Amino acid sequence: QDSLMTDKAIEKMLEYQGYLAVACYEKVMAAAWEQKTENKTNNNANADPPIAYSLSPGFTIYGDTNRDGEVDRTDKSGRDKWSLSEGALMLFNNDDDNGDLIPDWQNGDVDGESDTADLAIVNIQLAENYRDAQIYISTDTDVSNYINVFQKTESGWQLVDISGTEALIPKAKIILGVEAKQFADRNWQGVVNLKAIAEKNGRQIASDSIQIGVVPWLMSPNTASVKELHVSDRGFANQEFISKIIKIIEKTGVTAKINPGGTTWMQDTQEIGYVQFPSEGKMHNMNVVLKANRPRENDRYGMSLLKENFGWFEVGKPRQLDPLNRWADAYGNLEVTPPLPGYPMGRVYYGKAGEVGMNPDIIEFVKAQKIQGPPVDIDTSWLMMRHVDEIISFIPSKFGNPLMLIVSPEAGVKLLEKLSEESYDKAAINRGLSTQTTVRAGLKNKKLIQHNLYLQREKLNPLIEKLKQEFNLSNDQIIHVPAMFGYTGYAWWPNMVNSVVINGELLVSNPRGALINGRDYTQEKFRRLVSSSSLNINFMDDQYYQELRGNAHDAMNTTRLGKNNPFWKSLSENMSEFRGPSLDVVDMR
């Protein structure tokens, strides 16, 4: 190395490696072409994919590009690209595997076997001539705020420098673990180009790269299977409500999680979604809760769910809103449909009143997930609470396609008119509520009737046409549920659309309609409307919530199972087009 010929020798060596790289590349391309032709001839779908070699022979970085939960030779192809449907995945490691009540990504450590399962494993394969080289890890841009990389050593996992300035611990086989520190958002596409570099004597002699993308956060629809139901114990006021919930769900296998003295509006404080991640040979579903942007003590309930295999995170900051819109950022205003044509994982929708809707940070975050968007905005300006769950909800049907329940003030007026025609003018409606009256008195309140017909004509009818287009719904999938609203936008009788599906059971507000021959006329009307759903209908006594201007769905929250089929196998064409930044596999410097 002290010879005057050293520099010339190194130049010749690099020149030779360049010739060898070109020859290897041509050989691989020829082999791939032959393999492609042979597969086409034999129609052999089970043939191994051609391996994409690094142009630095014997130096390869590879991860679980085929998303089968294992890292092996089949993953050496597809390392240079990433999309929603292909390429290696990493998990936003936001659960708590060591019980310290801190999301795992924050502690810069790997907490045992459970936490190891949350890492994206990446191998670096080294030929003999690279064993005495220094191996560095770098990225195209500074992503230290977005990912952690660890190296597996004899003493455990150690945090890796990803700036390309500190070498890895020398080993014959290098194993890395990668975790994300957040989901994709407006500032980060969620994809990193992880590069391994070999150096000798201060000169780069080889490099190879792999793209890794963070899994998206997904919302669960009202129709998904339920594991847990969350409700707050508000003392004597809602004891009957809770007792009935427990009785109903006993037969469904669902666990009731009672929050003593917690917030009345459990739905508003957290959005419990899930992620899907291939790990250790299988596809792993993990629930992840998004905390609401509200500065209240009771909003800590979402963080209390943090544990092993149950993640927690926040997006954005609390906003100061005007009194009319102060509830806009609660999660009763953010929902998702069941799977729909073109949206196999469902499509997010939210309420918007003029220029004020769900926190823009949340909406941009949903868009960045790419799977359940773009979100659909729904006019909630006429509602007191401004929440979209007061207008529509979805339930399953016997025939496969979901059914959309939508409030219908016109149907509410017609229900009263029908009762009057059948000579039930004196029957009490809104029984036991502060709005209790009779059928006759209700119909005589011309301003109330005109207000509700206005809502139907100016708000609901245009919305129905919009949602038929946005959600690809047919007329027979839309159920017009009788409802009436007061002038300030509250449900005049308990809102039956504001309901919860629990594994074949529908928990719906008791509308307290006219009693005809001992049976609630409005309840019977609702049963007929949803008869194609195959759900067992349970009318809930939610008077406590109704008087506070909310209903059954507002009072509860649910932890639901993710889909069995992974998102990367469920994408429609428009979704799978999203790709990470392009990269060249080989650095020819």
Side-chain angles (χ1 to χ4, degrees):
Q1 293 200 10
D2 296 330
S3 167
L4 295 175
M5 297 298 291
T6 299
D7 290 343
K8 191 69 174 178
I10 291 175
E11 288 177 10
K12 283 294 184 182
M13 186 184 301
L14 293 175
E15 183 181 2
Y16 165 74
Q17 286 185 340
Y19 292 143
L20 180 61
V22 172
C24 288
Y25 179 79
E26 291 175 348
K27 182 178 179 180
V28 169
M29 290 298 99
W33 178 259
E34 290 174 4
Q35 183 71 37
K36 183 177 180 181
T37 304
E38 182 180 347
N39 286 348
K40 188 174 182 180
T41 302
N42 298 333
N43 193 26
N44 183 4
N46 296 320
D48 289 337
I51 295 174
Y53 290 98
S54 164
L55 294 189
S56 300
F59 187 82
T60 309
I61 183 171
Y62 60 100
D64 184 18
T65 56
N66 63 9
R67 302 182 182 180
D68 66 354
E70 302 282 0
V71 180
D72 51 38
R73 68 180 298 275
T74 63
D75 294 306
K76 292 184 180 180
S77 63
R79 295 173 292 116
D80 60 331
K81 56 188 176 182
W82 192 92
S83 72
L84 289 170
S85 58
E86 58 184 344
L89 294 167
M90 58 183 163
L91 181 69
F92 175 19
N93 194 8
N94 54 20
D95 69 338
D96 176 22
D97 288 315
N98 66 351
D100 63 359
L101 302 181
I102 300 173
D104 289 339
W105 68 268
Q106 292 186 10
N107 61 18
D109 201 357
V110 178
D111 303 314
E113 293 183 5
S114 295
D115 206 15
T116 300
D118 295 336
L119 299 177
I121 301 302
V122 173
N123 292 341
I124 302 178
Q125 179 178 302
L126 301 174
E128 187 68 32
N129 56 313
Y130 295 107
R131 300 288 170 81
D132 58 347
Q134 291 79 48
I135 311 299
Y136 298 88
I137 298 297
S138 70
T139 54
D140 290 346
T141 58
D142 181 9
V143 294
S144 56
N145 289 332
Y146 302 129
I147 67 168
N148 286 325
V149 179
F150 302 92
Q151 181 182 3
K152 188 175 184 181
T153 70
E154 299 298 330
S155 59
W157 293 91
Q158 294 192 14
L159 196 62
V160 169
D161 172 80
I162 58 174
S163 67
T165 58
E166 185 176 335
L168 298 175
I169 296 172
K171 292 180 71 70
K173 183 180 180 181
I174 295 176
I175 300 176
L176 304 178
V178 185
E179 68 181 9
K181 298 161 79 169
Q182 67 166 67
F183 289 112
D185 63 12
R186 62 168 61 166
N187 299 316
W188 181 52
Q189 284 192 341
V191 182
V192 298
N193 176 25
L194 201 65
K195 180 179 291 185
I197 300 168
E199 290 187 4
K200 280 187 180 181
N201 303 321
R203 290 178 177 270
Q204 179 176 315
I205 61 172
S207 69
D208 196 21
S209 300
I210 182 173
Q211 285 208 40
I212 307 179
V214 65
V215 299
W217 179 76
L218 302 168
M219 289 178 59
S220 298
N222 194 37
T223 54
S225 296
V226 178
K227 293 191 292 186
E228 297 174 340
L229 184 146
H230 309 264
V231 63
S232 290
D233 184 347
R234 303 294 295 172
F236 179 77
N238 72 338
Q239 285 306 297
E240 184 177 342
F241 184 79
I242 291 177
S243 296
K244 187 165 184 178
I245 286 176
I246 294 173
K247 184 177 180 180
I248 292 168
I249 68 174
E250 276 180 351
K251 54 188 175 184
T252 67
V254 174
T255 301
K257 306 285 283 189
I258 311 300
N259 181 23
T263 177
T264 303
W265 312 116
M266 189 62 76
Q267 182 65 215
D268 293 341
T269 62
Q270 62 269 332
E271 188 65 53
I272 305 174
Y274 67 102
V275 294
Q276 297 178 315
F277 181 62
S279 177
E280 300 180 333
K282 57 185 178 182
M283 196 275 289
H284 178 48
N285 271 323
M286 184 175 82
N287 287 111
V288 179
V289 59
L290 170 61
K291 178 188 174 295
N293 282 312
R294 301 201 304 166
R296 295 183 181 179
E297 290 297 314
N298 282 332
D299 285 0
R300 292 182 179 177
Y301 183 77
M303 191 169 185
S304 75
L305 300 176
L306 177 66
K307 59 183 178 181
E308 182 179 344
N309 291 326
F310 205 125
W312 173 92
F313 73 111
E314 294 180 273
V315 172
K317 300 295 181 184
R319 297 188 296 169
Q320 293 295 325
L321 297 172
D322 64 85
L324 286 177
N325 294 295
R326 63 186 182 275
W327 298 291
D329 290 345
Y331 287 138
N333 200 29
L334 184 72
E335 302 293 337
V336 68
T337 73
L340 296 172
Y343 297 92
M345 308 298 284
R347 189 174 184 187
V348 172
Y349 57 95
Y350 66 100
K352 189 175 183 181
E355 296 300 315
V356 180
M358 171 57 64
N359 191 317
D361 289 338
I362 299 294
I363 300 305
E364 290 301 318
F365 168 75
V366 170
K367 290 178 181 179
Q369 307 314 296
K370 303 292 183 181
I371 302 287
Q372 296 178 314
V376 177
D377 63 279
I378 291 176
D379 180 13
T380 57
S381 60
W382 53 279
L383 290 168
M384 173 184 285
M385 298 297 175
R386 305 286 206 260
H387 287 182
V388 74
D389 67 346
E390 298 180 65
I391 300 177
I392 65 172
S393 65
F394 287 84
I395 61 174
S397 78
K398 298 175 183 177
F399 311 109
N401 292 328
L403 303 172
M404 185 182 78
L405 308 182
I406 185 166
V407 291
S408 175
E410 181 179 41
V413 172
K414 288 183 177 179
L415 183 145
L416 296 185
E417 291 174 341
K418 184 67 174 177
L419 284 166
S420 180
E421 290 173 7
E422 296 181 5
S423 302
Y424 296 118
D425 295 88
K426 295 181 181 180
I429 54 176
N430 303 359
R431 291 174 291 106
L433 302 175
S434 59
T435 53
Q436 178 172 322
T437 186
T438 64
V439 171
R440 175 182 296 169
L443 288 172
K444 279 189 173 182
N445 189 339
K446 297 301 182 183
K447 288 185 177 180
L448 180 66
I449 299 299
Q450 289 171 4
H451 174 68
N452 277 271
L453 294 178
Y454 163 83
L455 292 177
Q456 185 71 51
R457 182 176 65 253
E458 300 297 327
K459 301 296 184 180
L460 277 308
N461 288 346
L463 176 61
I464 290 170
E465 293 306 311
K466 176 179 179 176
L467 297 185
K468 284 166 65 174
Q469 295 294 319
E470 296 287 358
F471 294 158
N472 296 303
L473 298 174
S474 60
N475 287 327
D476 58 3
Q477 288 179 265
I478 302 172
I479 296 178
H480 304 263
V481 178
M484 290 186 69
F485 292 87
Y487 307 115
T488 57
Y490 65 91
W492 197 51
W493 62 64
N495 186 346
M496 295 179 287
V497 166
N498 194 257
S499 56
V500 182
V501 178
I502 308 288
N503 299 353
E505 305 287 330
L506 183 64
L507 280 58
V508 58
S509 299
N510 179 357
R512 297 175 174 267
L515 291 177
I516 309 300
N517 299 323
R519 300 178 73 87
D520 187 307
Y521 186 90
T522 309
Q523 286 186 18
E524 295 304 306
K525 175 70 173 178
F526 183 83
R527 289 185 189 277
R528 291 193 297 273
L529 287 171
V530 300
S531 60
S532 61
S533 72
S534 76
L535 293 171
N536 184 42
I537 312 302
N538 304 274
F539 288 102
M540 308 296 295
D541 179 10
D542 65 347
Q543 179 177 0
Y544 168 70
Y545 302 99
Q546 169 67 19
E547 297 292 2
L548 293 174
R549 304 307 188 229
N551 292 110
H553 185 260
D554 304 317
M556 295 177 272
N557 211 322
T558 51
T559 302
R560 296 180 183 268
L561 296 170
K563 289 188 67 174
N564 291 327
N565 202 38
F567 74 84
W568 56 89
K569 294 184 179 180
S570 305
L571 301 176
S572 57
E573 290 185 9
N574 62 313
M575 296 175 190
S576 59
E577 289 174 358
F578 171 72
R579 298 184 179 275
S582 61
L583 82 99
D584 297 325
V585 180
V586 179
D587 188 336
M588 294 298 290
R589 291 177 295 175

